[in-house]
Amino acid sequence: MPTSDPFSVFRALHQGRAPGDPLVLPGPWDAASARTFEEAGFPALATPSAAVAASLGHEDGRTPAADMFAAVTRIVRSVSVPVSADIEAGYGMAPDELVERLLETGAVGCNLEDSVDGVLVDAHRQADRLAQVRSFAGGRLFVNARVDTYLRGGPGGADPEAETIARAVLYAAAGADCVYPITAPPAALPRLAAAIPVPLNANGSPHDPPALRRLGELGAARITFGPLMQQQAMAAAGDMAGRLRGR
């Protein structure tokens, strides 16, 4: 009998995607936005740490771990679809503690990035960390390994695309289920997808839905939006406030 546990559902959503049909994952920042996205028909969600930080009054990258995990817990409990959590670089936690805290939230997956305080970490050290996370998770977390070479620049001036591929291959071998080369240009996606043996996560824009299909055609199996949806919602609220003040 087929299983319907949230982790298996989430994993299956990434598999066998047809070109032009990527998995689109909206980024909720609180329980209300999560319910809105579920009601719109999305089969899964992925929290963006920057949007959650903004909703809690923190700067991006400065959210205390307890606040982030509490926010993810509220989001997960507010919906019936699987939720993956952006947990930045893991808040300095050992892999076993990090997995325990994640599983307590009810999340079925996580983003883990390979830079800390704006600096890329050693790729082999990051691969070892990912392998430990996978081992402690015991098949209960879908690990999306974020590669920050386009964002931070390759070490020693290395070519970002070559460094991205090298890191992504290491991370996939360590057990990452998906790789996220954040801010990679669309033109690079076909080469990245051809070289990386796991699904590829790309950045999309909620302002341009037709472009999401094109990203899929270029090789993206999954598309997320970072904090853009939360920023758009806040801009709409600001416009409404401005109109009210101008009455």
Side-chain angles (χ1 to χ4, degrees):
M1 173 180 290
T3 182
S4 60
D5 69 276
F7 169 78
S8 297
V9 169
F10 191 68
R11 174 185 285 278
L13 287 169
H14 292 77
Q15 305 302 319
R17 308 295 308 191
D21 182 33
L23 174 62
V24 177
L25 296 176
W29 54 93
D30 59 13
S33 59
R35 286 193 294 267
T36 296
F37 297 145
E38 180 183 27
E39 290 165 3
F42 288 96
L45 308 173
T47 69
S49 61
V52 173
S55 75
L56 297 174
H58 300 297
E59 294 183 16
D60 184 21
R62 294 292 180 263
T63 307
D67 288 4
M68 184 63 74
F69 287 120
V72 170
T73 299
R74 289 191 294 272
I75 289 169
V76 171
R77 291 178 178 175
S78 71
V79 295
S80 61
V81 297
V83 177
S84 182
D86 181 351
I87 52 169
E88 303 175 285
Y91 308 108
M93 294 181 181
D96 56 345
E97 180 186 5
L98 186 62
V99 169
E100 181 181 1
R101 297 288 296 276
L102 266 170
L103 292 175
E104 286 174 351
T105 71
V108 300
C110 65
N111 278 16
L112 273 174
E113 55 200 57
D114 65 352
S115 64
V116 177
D117 294 329
V119 178
L120 286 169
V121 302
D122 177 79
H124 290 278
R125 182 157 62 89
Q126 180 70 0
D128 289 343
R129 181 169 171 78
L130 292 168
Q132 292 178 62
V133 167
R134 280 301 307 274
S135 176
F136 285 116
R140 293 172 290 173
L141 286 173
F142 186 96
V143 178
N144 188 31
R146 201 179 94 173
V147 184
D148 286 1
T149 42
Y150 283 102
L151 186 66
R152 308 298 183 194
D159 173 62
E161 184 173 309
E163 182 68 16
T164 294
I165 290 172
R167 286 174 174 259
V169 169
L170 272 177
Y171 300 164
D177 299 286
C178 187
V179 169
Y180 179 19
I182 189 169
T183 71
L189 294 180
R191 296 185 295 274
L192 295 177
I196 298 169
V198 294
L200 193 68
N201 188 157
N203 299 95
S205 169
H207 304 287
D208 191 7
L212 304 184
R213 178 180 180 86
R214 178 61 177 156
L215 291 174
E217 292 170 345
L218 291 172
R222 160 175 163 163
I223 296 174
T224 52
F225 304 99
L228 293 180
M229 300 184 84
Q230 185 262 349
Q231 291 170 356
Q232 184 171 330
M234 293 303 98
D239 289 344
M240 183 184 302
R243 290 195 299 273
L244 290 170
R245 287 286 296 167
R247 285 193 306 180

